[in-house]
Amino acid sequence: MSEDTSSVTPLPVVGHQYARVDGPLKVSGAARYSSDHSFPGMLHAVPVCATIGNGHIDAIDTRAAAAMPGVRKVYTRENIGKLYRVPKSARDAIIDERRPPLEDDVIRYYGQYVALVVADTFEQATAAADKVKVSYKGQQTPNVAVKLSADERPKADTERGNPEAAFASAAVKVDQTYSTPPETHNPIELHASVATWDGTRFTLYETTQAIVNFRGVMAQMLGVPSENVRVVTEFLGSGFGGKLWPWTQAMLAAAAARDLHKPVKLVVSRQMMFHNVGHRPQTQQRLRLGATHEGKLVSLQHDYVYHRALECDYSEDCGEATGFLYSTPNLRVTGGFAERHVGPATSMRGPGAVPGLYALESAMDELAIALKMDPVELRLRNEPAIDESENVPFSSRHLKECLTTGAEKFGWAKRDPRIGSMRKDGLVLGWGMAACSWIAERFPAAASVTFNADGSVRVASGTQDIGTGTYTVLGQMVAELAGVELSKVNVVIGDTNLPPGPISGGSMATASLVPAVAQATRDAIDKLLAAASEGDSHFAHAATDQLAFAHGRVYRKNESPDSGRRFEQVLTAARRGHVEGQGKSEGTFGQPGKKEYSSHSFGTHFVEVTWQPEIARLRVSRVLTVIDAGRIINPLTGRNQIEGAVVMGVGMALFEETHYDKRNGMAVNSNLADYIMTTHADSPDMDVVFLDYPDLKLNEMGARGIGEIGLAGIAAAITNAVHHATGVRVRDLPVHIEDLLASKVA
Amino acid sequence: MSEKKPGDFVEIQLGRRNFLQIVGMTGAASGLGLPVAAHAAAIAAVAHSAAPAEVDGLALVRFKVNGKAQSLKVDPRTTLLDALRDHLQLTGTKKGCDHGQCGACTVHVNGRRVNSCLSLAAMHEGDEVTTLEGLGQPGNLHPMQQAFLEHDGYQCGYCTSGQIMSAVALMKEPCGPANADVKEAMSGNICRCGAYSNIVAAIQQVRKA
Amino acid sequence: MEPFVFSRATDPGKAISAAAKSSTAQQGAEVRFVAGGTTLLDLMKLNVERPTQVIDINHLPLADVERTSDGGLKIGALVRNSDLAHHPQVQRDYAVLSQALLSGASGQLRNMATTGGNLLQRTRCVYFRDTNMPCNKREPGSGCSAIEGFNRTLAILGTSEHCIATNPSDMNVALTALEAIVVIRGTAGERRVPIGEFFLLPGDTPQRETVMMPGDLITHVILPPPHPGARSHYLKLRDRASYEFALASAAVVIAVEGGKITHARVAMGGVGTKPWRSPEAEQALQGQLPNEHTFATAAVAALHPAKPQSQNGFKVDLAQRCLTHALSTVVA
């Protein structure tokens, strides 16, 4: 344990609430998203999608489509031009669907792109795409079976002790299987690509959470040097992992732009987004927990299977948090996949951990019931001293405090554990809770920081703001480090022409940027001091090492900082327009070798549901979440991240599932009326508590990520509350009304 | 095409299908089975002789957008949403589903909120349309825009245009005072980032101001 | 979307004669009137509707709500759902209609959708909406994909071996309980169709959903005067709290006199291939004491004819609970 190794030292800017620096653009329609870009002569592209789920293209008749008004060209495998594969091993060019679009005539999933129509207008391209006639051969029923069994022998992710023997002899046991359905990310922004080509260089306006990786992929697939590809994402309408790696519409748009020498816009339709741009795969997870009568875990086995698309190798690591969340001498986590004829799966917010913790935290609730023990108490009794999976200490872990603080603030002591026993305003109440965790690591990052003679400071990095607040937290970091007002900081991101920044994934962008930005700021300050020493007569004859910088001022070390000169005065005196510093940091994620610390964020959710048995109406009414994620740079945007995850968690628990038709593999509910997500009316009263212990082993500000952890555990907290209210234990998400009709609570 | 007479059945567009009307529509939906190019050519010829001013098959729409008179010639299939975005470059209004299922495309038509994706541009002759850009701009934000900014009533900002347009329209609609009333009234605007509680707080602040 | 001629009607007669050239007013119509556009544009984008001519009727003078001489209400076909829901007389005399309208869709869609258009709202069956799948309603004779497919949300009442598509409207359920009259003007003049006769069961012609003929224009809906002493209520059950179609809904109009039910009108939504009037339930209520036992008996009677599919058997229980609770609420 590392309780209270570091107390919170307040900082002037970091840790305080600021309205987003990009907010005025967002609330006025001035923020430009990828599909908002438009160029003279721009053409519109609409893909044609396969209407079978397993088979081969026999022939494509494009004549009728090509003759439609406004159509410039219809592309198939024959004429799309050269597109190349990205090697599996490419660390700087990651893509889930490595097969380039239109590469062969094999249909591996329903909705796969088989042709592309480019026309003058969107209306013309859409109408013509409907006229492309595709015939198929060798058509077979796709395998989209819901029941999963691993195609190959499952591999052990982590193990210790003898879990079978310990389980066999355990005093109290839980052995249950849980499943989560395929979920579709469904950011409200449609995936889009606007591709331009000047004969040598591509400029690509993309919907991506990782512009630098996108450039790497596009350079490989288009067969051009990466300096000939520029990727721009000024604003992203969120992604939740679905926009982490490129999808094939980008290559189609770029190939058409290259061929037609015209800018091409391709906006993926909502329907296509259920097939072509990833999803969270279905999982099936068996949990075996053994404990003593005192509630001490003696064995934990977590065996999971997930579905996998053909020719894709995405893994849903459901055991992500299982190895270290609780103390137990005997443990094994195994994972396997089952191939299905579905579009490629990809990371979705909290990949692995989110479905995994639904299962683990449901099983813990079932164990608490079997033990007749309070579920908070059960977790407190199994708090580990170290990460028992890696055998290293935690960099900073306060799960116990998350449990006790949450219980106290929620009023958990008033909980009557008997099913259906709590009532309020004529409704049955159910209270449930769960713990959560998410990795805390860093990616490589580079940034530049510039002091300008006009008094502004510029920070630049080739990263992107996906809605998490990167513009604002970057501004805060620099305002903090340079000692200037936030309003004086200009944040420039979203362009691969900038120093390569981190991906916005894994909740790591903020933590990754801290060291790079700090180094760039220090570098810029050094250069500022050199400029003062050389060019500002105010500091005449002062060597650089006799000068210092604080609160925007350069001063002599032997004098008070207040006596110093503003940096803009120094630059003006030195006749310098600006000084620019560079910073670069290595990543920690995926680095070889044994780690010194186990770095994770932790948290707890406490949930109240209301149940109205006479009309089978269940609603989530109240959620309290306690998060231990290091220092929170901006509590305003930070709280929003956690609440937003809870809102998504309500959907995960109660609404969301993609259904594939067993006859052709089509996602039958491929629209936002049939794939239902949480509305305003479904969102509960929420409260968020940040413990705010800086994790200084991760970076100098002690900031970890908060984008994903809020979704981990919440579904289990909800289904645990559902069980408390109704007596119905839902082990297959989402909870359906039909499940609850079995409730005996009246 | 014939002259427009008040009180008559007014053709405001001449497209290839006018052919059907000119030569008399039959129950067999004449021409649907024809190769499209040949069909279009034939109609264009007929249309040419009938109404040279409207041979391009485009619908004329004259309306006010954000207080400014606009006259557009659009494909009759063009939705109000696509007309705003592609023809008037008012890209603040967003496409999220194109089927009235998310609310990102919400604009005001004659002061009332509508889904611009489920309306044809051609249906808005004479209407007054307001988009997010028409409410206020940085430095001169509408109170609702300011409230969204202060309450962090968004994350990615993509559904925000629709949320704010709905919120402003809500001020004039019958709606109870409670948060629950606002939530129900705003449920036609999906925020996948889940910034709902901040959005409701922003709206309630403006309502109580 | 297929190309079409767009024109604007300023006179009902001309609109009717133009539309009369269509071979059908049902699925496959070549000429379509557009008012709100919320169903038509949605289906045109999916190529389910492919009219060659679209006539904008928004400028026809059919947007008024007037009192009838006998104390009823005459509602113009172009009255928007939101305006109708908030009309003071509707709120006072026909609460079930106001509640049904406000439970449907979203604020934006209710500002667009019209009374006439809502009567003609099409099913949400996913197979009807996907032109790659067989559907007898869309392509007669092609087969029903839903019976062997995803049918959780589909109908359990009024189905046939050819179609199990649900009528998705909330408004129509309330209008059915209120025994509304649909006023239709066609080439042969005006006719008045009781709402119970307006909708057709799918049978072996699921492509025919209503009595609408080529050229027919719905001009008004007439609500009979409210039954003296009657109270009404609409209850809608669905997966999420708002902005979703019903899994089951109930519209009830009940009068109690001298401790007994003297007037009972019951309709259900989300469960039928058309807005589902239940004479069985009405009979079970008529003359009985307004208590839980009576309501439960009526609910069982209402669902007695139900024929569930593989995934929607739960709707029997859910619809019974819905109706029972709506009845308890209205007499409370």
Side-chain angles (χ1 to χ4, degrees), chain A residues 4-15:
Chain A
D4 302 337
T5 47
S6 44
S7 59
V8 184
T9 315
L11 300 172
V13 183
V14 161

mmCIF file of all heavy atoms in Angstrom, chain A residues 4-15:
data_model
loop_
_atom_site.group_PDB
_atom_site.id
_atom_site.type_symbol
_atom_site.label_atom_id
_atom_site.label_comp_id
_atom_site.label_asym_id
_atom_site.label_seq_id
_atom_site.Cartn_x
_atom_site.Cartn_y
_atom_site.Cartn_z
ATOM 1 N N ASP A 4 -1.301 7.772 1.304
ATOM 2 C CA ASP A 4 -0.833 9.094 1.710
ATOM 3 C C ASP A 4 0.676 9.294 1.577
ATOM 4 O O ASP A 4 1.299 9.909 2.420
ATOM 5 C CB ASP A 4 -1.246 9.388 3.154
ATOM 6 C CG ASP A 4 -2.746 9.302 3.320
ATOM 7 O OD1 ASP A 4 -3.464 9.448 2.306
ATOM 8 O OD2 ASP A 4 -3.200 9.088 4.421
ATOM 9 N N THR A 5 1.260 8.691 0.550
ATOM 10 C CA THR A 5 2.663 8.928 0.303
ATOM 11 C C THR A 5 2.877 10.359 -0.169
ATOM 12 O O THR A 5 3.960 10.898 -0.091
ATOM 13 C CB THR A 5 3.213 7.977 -0.764
ATOM 14 O OG1 THR A 5 2.304 7.973 -1.855
ATOM 15 C CG2 THR A 5 3.380 6.584 -0.210
ATOM 16 N N SER A 6 1.819 10.941 -0.694
ATOM 17 C CA SER A 6 1.957 12.303 -1.194
ATOM 18 C C SER A 6 0.680 13.068 -0.898
ATOM 19 O O SER A 6 -0.393 12.631 -1.265
ATOM 20 C CB SER A 6 2.202 12.270 -2.699
ATOM 21 O OG SER A 6 1.331 11.337 -3.301
ATOM 22 N N SER A 7 0.800 14.130 -0.226
ATOM 23 C CA SER A 7 -0.385 14.933 0.039
ATOM 24 C C SER A 7 -0.562 15.929 -1.112
ATOM 25 O O SER A 7 0.333 16.125 -1.914
ATOM 26 C CB SER A 7 -0.227 15.683 1.355
ATOM 27 O OG SER A 7 0.913 16.493 1.271
ATOM 28 N N VAL A 8 -1.722 16.491 -1.187
ATOM 29 C CA VAL A 8 -2.016 17.383 -2.293
ATOM 30 C C VAL A 8 -1.449 18.765 -2.004
ATOM 31 O O VAL A 8 -1.831 19.407 -1.039
ATOM 32 C CB VAL A 8 -3.534 17.484 -2.519
ATOM 33 C CG1 VAL A 8 -3.832 18.326 -3.731
ATOM 34 C CG2 VAL A 8 -4.118 16.095 -2.668
ATOM 35 N N THR A 9 -0.517 19.189 -2.838
ATOM 36 C CA THR A 9 -0.025 20.554 -2.734
ATOM 37 C C THR A 9 -0.762 21.384 -3.773
ATOM 38 O O THR A 9 -0.650 21.107 -4.957
ATOM 39 C CB THR A 9 1.487 20.616 -3.040
ATOM 40 O OG1 THR A 9 2.114 19.542 -2.340
ATOM 41 C CG2 THR A 9 2.078 21.940 -2.650
ATOM 42 N N PRO A 10 -1.536 22.355 -3.357
ATOM 43 C CA PRO A 10 -2.298 23.113 -4.347
ATOM 44 C C PRO A 10 -1.367 23.852 -5.310
ATOM 45 O O PRO A 10 -0.321 24.354 -4.920
ATOM 46 C CB PRO A 10 -3.093 24.108 -3.499
ATOM 47 C CG PRO A 10 -3.036 23.600 -2.109
ATOM 48 C CD PRO A 10 -1.763 22.825 -1.988
ATOM 49 N N LEU A 11 -1.762 23.875 -6.562
ATOM 50 C CA LEU A 11 -1.023 24.599 -7.588
ATOM 51 C C LEU A 11 -1.890 25.761 -8.042
ATOM 52 O O LEU A 11 -3.105 25.736 -7.891
ATOM 53 C CB LEU A 11 -0.708 23.669 -8.760
ATOM 54 C CG LEU A 11 0.147 22.433 -8.434
ATOM 55 C CD1 LEU A 11 0.214 21.503 -9.624
ATOM 56 C CD2 LEU A 11 1.545 22.857 -8.014
ATOM 57 N N PRO A 12 -1.267 26.791 -8.607
ATOM 58 C CA PRO A 12 -2.056 27.975 -8.975
ATOM 59 C C PRO A 12 -3.089 27.719 -10.085
ATOM 60 O O PRO A 12 -4.192 28.242 -10.033
ATOM 61 C CB PRO A 12 -1.000 28.971 -9.459
ATOM 62 C CG PRO A 12 0.318 28.472 -8.967
ATOM 63 C CD PRO A 12 0.182 27.001 -8.799
ATOM 64 N N VAL A 13 -2.757 26.931 -11.091
ATOM 65 C CA VAL A 13 -3.663 26.763 -12.239
ATOM 66 C C VAL A 13 -4.168 25.334 -12.333
ATOM 67 O O VAL A 13 -5.374 25.089 -12.441
ATOM 68 C CB VAL A 13 -2.949 27.160 -13.564
ATOM 69 C CG1 VAL A 13 -3.928 27.046 -14.734
ATOM 70 C CG2 VAL A 13 -2.366 28.561 -13.478
ATOM 71 N N VAL A 14 -3.205 24.389 -12.264
ATOM 72 C CA VAL A 14 -3.601 22.982 -12.369
ATOM 73 C C VAL A 14 -4.388 22.593 -11.120
ATOM 74 O O VAL A 14 -4.027 22.962 -10.008
ATOM 75 C CB VAL A 14 -2.332 22.113 -12.534
ATOM 76 C CG1 VAL A 14 -2.612 20.663 -12.182
ATOM 77 C CG2 VAL A 14 -1.813 22.233 -13.961
ATOM 78 N N GLY A 15 -5.482 21.879 -11.363
ATOM 79 C CA GLY A 15 -6.319 21.474 -10.247
ATOM 80 C C GLY A 15 -7.503 22.390 -10.022
ATOM 81 O O GLY A 15 -8.292 22.170 -9.119
#
